Amino acid sequence: MIEVKNLKKTFASGDTQVHAVNDISFSVADGQFASIIGRSGSGKSTLLSLLGALEKPTSGSISVGDQDITKLHDHALISYRAHKIGFVFQGYNLVPNLTALENVMLPMEFAGVPKKDRLERAKALLSRVGLSDDQQLRKPARLSGGQQQRVAIARALSNKPKLILADEPTGNLDSQTGEMIFELLHELAKTENTTIVTVTHDLSIAGKTDKTFRLNDGKLVKK
Amino acid sequence: MNVITRGIRNAFRNVIRTLSLVTILGLSIGLSLAMLLAHQAVGAKIDSVKASVGNTVSVSPAGVRGFDGGGNALTETEVAKVKTLAHVTSVTESLSDRLTTTNTNLVSAIDAGSLGQRFAGNSGQSFTPRPDTGGATGGPSSFSTGGGQSNVSFTPPVTVVGSTDPTNLSNNVGGGTFTLKSGKVFASNSTENVALLGSTLATKNNLKVGSTFTAYGQTVTVAGIFDAGNTFSNNQVIMPLVAVQTLSSQAGALTSAILNVDSVENVASVTTAASTTLGSVADVTNDSTRAQASVAPLQNIQTISLYSLIGSVIAGAVIILMTMVMIVRERRREIGVLKAIGASNVKVVGQFMSEAITLTMLSAVIGIVIGAIAGNPITKLLVNNASSGTSGGPTGGPGGGGFVRVQFGGIGRGLANIHAAVGFSIILYGLLAALLIAVVGSAVSAFFIAKVRPAEVMRAE
């Protein structure tokens, strides 16, 4: 269960204050697939950063399970990101000089998973997202966009997180590949009982999620 | 794969940049090592020169060097004043004189040769012509003096040294190492008419221990025969100081006093004090001062090499520092990703530090090779340029301070003889310098890494 209450994030821009996220409250149940839509600059990515503990809010609270992540200190936040959160980015953001397999093993290394377990789980995850043994040993530059996003999804799942945050996961893909990636995320949410929150511009994708939140100028205008 | 292996692999992400960096940094480390080698080699040479000079101060009558120049002999009363100076541990006194054909039956073992003729002719006063001695193997020489004499023959004079330290050849005769071949050494305070003869002089005159010869019209007994290891000293007679003073009618006179100082560091102050005490009656010199002047260019090289060493190490640190800062700036987004998926600052910094150490260690290997190849030639080049103005020091005539000049000439000639060798310590220093450079380079990049927020990954989208 994710519960957001009165969340605010304000940036200083010169003499003015920009309210990127302005008093937002909502909740997402475990295993639900939620989408956040809105125009550029509406605060979607900032909200995702706050949910992923990449930034601290100006005020308000975010509870993931029974933990209020806004009250965690830096060391606990690192552990939270390592164990509870998985990220999928629009530009994949794989480490270019590591193979697909090594990229998936990376978060497990940071989470302290033994090397043998890392390898087994990484192989299993990559097979599950559809990468062959040969493709698993390739570096990102030798994979297509769709394959790279599959690797990114496998990486996000590597530590069995409670929450996967996806920022425009189909934004760089053609519609057919984007559809496949969306289906993959949807399936994983159900089978792994993982909550997924995705930011998207694609209304057809948003329409298929369990919940949709529309942001406008940092405010939640539709649940 | 862990932080370290990832860092090592990252070092080769951009091969061209890695090659360029390693080459430049390798040159910097190589120059550092070459300068370190030069610094050590020159330092060792300076130390050896200073050690070879010893801790003595020479006092000679003003204007006199051996048998050259002119002036008045020192007196024991005058020398007594410097015996009590601070740091003076002992004083060796000597009186040098020449035995001529009118007061000795000794025949020099050294043939006059062309130089002897020239010295005698240039002196303006010839030595007493001597008829053929019969026993002399070298035979007399004919020459024309500056005074207009012609076709007279002579044999070089025999030098007699009265000394309070007869076995210390470096202090009272033409240098060398005293080795007693037969007989015994007389006591330093002896007043007897006894003598130690150089081996070639004894052979020339068919003298053995217990034999007698005439000096100053008196009979002198051979107490021992020595070998000094050089022709000049082996043609000399060493007698007790008092005996020479008495026989030569120079009671209380001295031609040399050697002050032994407690340490090399005090040689300069004792020289100054002795010079002040004795005033214009004496010339006070020391090898240390001369050696100091002689090694001054080497000390300049040492200073230059030290500054170059520091400069090249700093240059190396700046190169790796700037490179790492550039790499961190290039990989801000990747750092953000690593932090977003759970990496701590320590892990990210460790990865970049591993990368910096890999780059610098590769450079260190190249640098050590460059340093090993270039160290000796660079040292020799520096030393040869610096010592070209100092080599070829003065060379001496016979007697008195001549030994100083001969020794000093040796110092001058030896200055260029420096060899810089790469040892284990140099390699260790090279690796330590590389490690230091890597740590410095990484420390600044670590600061920038720590400042990268994980949210950067979202902004980069």
Side-chain angles (χ1 to χ4, degrees):
Chain A
M1 177 79 165
I2 300 170
E3 192 164 10
V4 175
K5 285 183 181 172
N6 307 115
L7 194 65
K8 283 188 179 178
K9 180 65 181 178
T10 305
F11 296 109
S13 177
D15 293 335
T16 59
Q17 298 285 307
V18 177
H19 302 288
V21 173
N22 194 356
D23 199 19
I24 286 177
S25 299
F26 66 88
S27 63
V28 182
D30 288 345
Q32 274 195 321
F33 195 156
S35 58
I36 302 170
I37 58 173
R39 289 182 293 187
S40 291
S42 60
K44 304 185 300 292
S45 293
T46 304
L47 178 57
L48 215 61
S49 295
L50 294 171
L51 291 175
L54 302 182
E55 291 197 75
K56 289 198 170 182
T58 307
S59 64
S61 67
I62 303 167
S63 295
V64 179
D66 54 356
Q67 195 171 34
D68 183 355
I69 64 169
T70 60
K71 290 186 167 54
L72 297 178
H73 53 80
D74 287 348
H75 188 71
L77 284 175
I78 292 169
S79 176
Y80 169 75
R81 288 195 290 264
H83 294 93
K84 303 280 179 69
I85 300 287
F87 279 102
V88 178
F89 304 100
Q90 180 179 355
Y92 326 127
N93 282 340
L94 300 175
V95 180
N97 68 325
L98 301 183
T99 64
L101 197 63
E102 289 164 344
N103 266 288
V104 178
M105 289 166 69
L106 204 53
M108 290 189 270
E109 179 196 322
F110 298 145
V113 176
K115 191 174 181 181
K116 188 185 170 190
D117 297 346
R118 278 185 243 163
L119 187 63
E120 286 176 3
R121 180 159 171 77
K123 281 183 175 176
L125 282 168
L126 285 170
S127 298
R128 189 164 166 193
V129 298
L131 255 71
S132 66
D133 289 350
D134 172 57
Q135 289 167 336
Q136 290 178 18
L137 298 175
R138 291 183 193 172
K139 289 182 179 173
R142 293 188 57 219
L143 296 170
S144 68
Q147 288 168 334
Q148 287 187 57
Q149 196 62 298
R150 286 165 190 271
V151 175
I153 290 168
R155 183 179 67 181
L157 287 166
S158 59
N159 285 325
K160 301 176 184 173
K162 286 185 175 299
L163 174 64
I164 287 181
L165 301 170
D167 186 20
E168 304 269 11
T170 60
N172 281 1
L173 304 173
D174 60 78
S175 57
Q176 193 179 356
T177 310
E179 184 75 19
M180 285 168 58
I181 291 295
F182 176 78
E183 291 300 331
L184 179 63
L185 281 172
H186 210 169
E187 181 198 337
L188 291 169
K190 286 179 180 172
T191 56
E192 299 280 331
N193 195 33
T194 303
T195 306
I196 298 179
V197 177
T198 182
V199 164
T200 182
H201 277 106
D202 192 336
L203 294 179
S204 65
I205 286 177
K208 294 175 185 174
T209 57
D210 301 324
K211 268 188 170 179
T212 301
F213 304 104
R214 180 185 291 275
L215 284 180
N216 188 21
D217 292 337
K219 290 194 173 183
L220 198 60
V221 293
K222 179 197 167 191
K223 290 185 184 177
Chain B
M1 184 176 298
N2 56 28
V3 167
I4 294 171
T5 49
R6 220 168 24 251
I8 292 170
R9 270 174 64 170
N10 277 347
F12 300 97
R13 265 166 90 155
N14 186 330
V15 176
I16 292 174
R17 181 164 67 190
T18 299
L19 275 177
S20 307
L21 174 66
V22 164
T23 304
I24 294 168
L25 198 54
L27 282 170
S28 172
I29 293 173
L31 182 62
S32 304
L33 290 180
M35 288 299 116
L36 182 62
L37 275 170
H39 188 265
Q40 284 189 341
V42 171
K45 189 68 183 179
I46 290 170
D47 289 344
S48 74
V49 167
K50 284 182 176 175
S52 69
V53 166
N55 53 344
T56 58
V57 174
S58 300
V59 180
S60 306
V64 178
R65 288 293 182 279
F67 295 102
D68 291 335
N72 299 314
L74 294 168
T75 65
E76 288 180 335
T77 309
E78 288 164 345
V79 172
K81 295 175 186 173
V82 296
K83 284 182 179 177
T84 55
L85 290 175
H87 306 297
V88 175
T89 56
S90 63
V91 177
T92 302
E93 298 167 327
S94 62
L95 173 65
S96 298
D97 198 18
R98 279 172 165 170
L99 296 173
T100 65
T101 50
T102 59
N103 61 13
T104 185
N105 63 347
L106 289 175
V107 178
S108 172
I110 300 173
D111 183 25
S114 60
L115 279 177
Q117 291 172 11
R118 185 177 180 82
F119 293 154
N122 288 346
S123 72
Q125 177 186 334
S126 67
F127 304 117
T128 306
R130 178 185 177 86
D132 190 2
T133 58
T137 55
S141 300
S142 296
F143 70 102
S144 296
T145 68
Q149 289 176 287
S150 62
N151 293 326
V152 290
S153 62
F154 83 103
T155 55
V158 173
T159 300
V160 59
V161 178
S163 174
T164 57
D165 187 0
T167 62
N168 192 348
L169 297 183
S170 64
N171 281 349
N172 59 23
V173 280
T177 304
F178 182 95
T179 305
L180 189 66
K181 306 292 286 184
S182 59
K184 62 179 182 180
V185 178
F186 54 79
S188 60
N189 58 355
S190 173
T191 58
E192 295 177 285
N193 287 347
V194 291
L196 299 169
L197 261 60
S199 55
T200 54
L201 183 65
T203 303
K204 175 76 176 180
N205 292 277
N206 296 318
L207 295 173
K208 296 176 181 176
V209 174
S211 302
T212 59
F213 64 93
T214 304
Y216 302 104
Q218 299 289 317
T219 300
V220 179
T221 304
V222 178
I225 294 171
F226 67 88
D227 177 33
N230 68 74
T231 306
F232 187 83
S233 293
N234 283 345
N235 190 50
Q236 292 193 326
V237 177
I238 302 172
M239 293 180 69
L241 173 62
V242 175
V244 174
Q245 286 173 329
T246 304
L247 291 173
S248 64
S249 304
Q250 298 181 84
L254 298 171
T255 54
S256 172
I258 304 297
L259 312 183
N260 296 303
V261 182
D262 55 6
S263 75
V264 174
E265 283 70 31
N266 295 322
V267 167
S269 64
V270 168
T271 303
T272 305
S275 186
T276 304
T277 303
L278 294 171
S280 61
V281 301
D283 287 339
V284 183
T285 59
N286 67 64
D287 287 354
S288 176
T289 306
R290 297 175 187 182
Q292 195 65 35
S294 187
V295 299
L298 289 185
Q299 287 171 325
N300 288 339
I301 294 171
Q302 214 182 12
T303 306
I304 290 168
S305 60
L306 180 64
Y307 287 142
S308 301
L309 168 65
I310 294 168
S312 50
V313 168
I314 290 173
V318 169
I319 290 168
I320 193 72
L321 186 149
M322 298 307 289
T323 303
M324 291 312 295
V325 168
M326 186 173 69
I327 288 173
V328 168
R329 284 177 65 87
E330 276 180 6
R331 298 192 202 150
R332 279 181 77 86
R333 185 166 162 181
E334 185 178 315
I335 293 166
V337 171
L338 293 175
K339 289 186 176 183
I341 63 175
S344 62
N345 273 332
V346 173
K347 291 221 170 191
V348 183
V349 169
Q351 179 182 310
F352 277 81
M353 192 172 277
S354 167
E355 184 172 346
I357 289 172
T358 303
L359 291 170
T360 44
M361 283 301 161
L362 276 175
S363 307
V365 171
I366 292 173
I368 287 168
V369 172
I370 291 172
I373 294 169
N376 205 34
I378 287 175
T379 304
K380 283 191 180 298
L381 188 69
L382 289 170
V383 171
N384 286 338
N385 283 341
S387 62
S388 59
T390 63
S391 61
T395 53
F403 72 93
V404 174
R405 289 194 288 271
V406 170
Q407 216 174 36
F408 183 55
I411 294 169
R413 283 191 297 274
L415 284 179
N417 186 25
I418 294 178
H419 181 72
V422 178
F424 177 73
S425 61
I426 290 292
I427 294 172
L428 194 65
Y429 285 138
L431 292 174
L432 283 176
L435 199 61
L436 180 71
I437 288 170
V439 169
V440 170
S442 304
V444 177
S445 58
F447 172 74
F448 287 106
I449 289 167
K451 283 183 69 177
V452 175
R453 295 179 308 148
E456 289 289 336
V457 68
M458 303 298 286
R459 297 199 190 287
E461 284 294 302

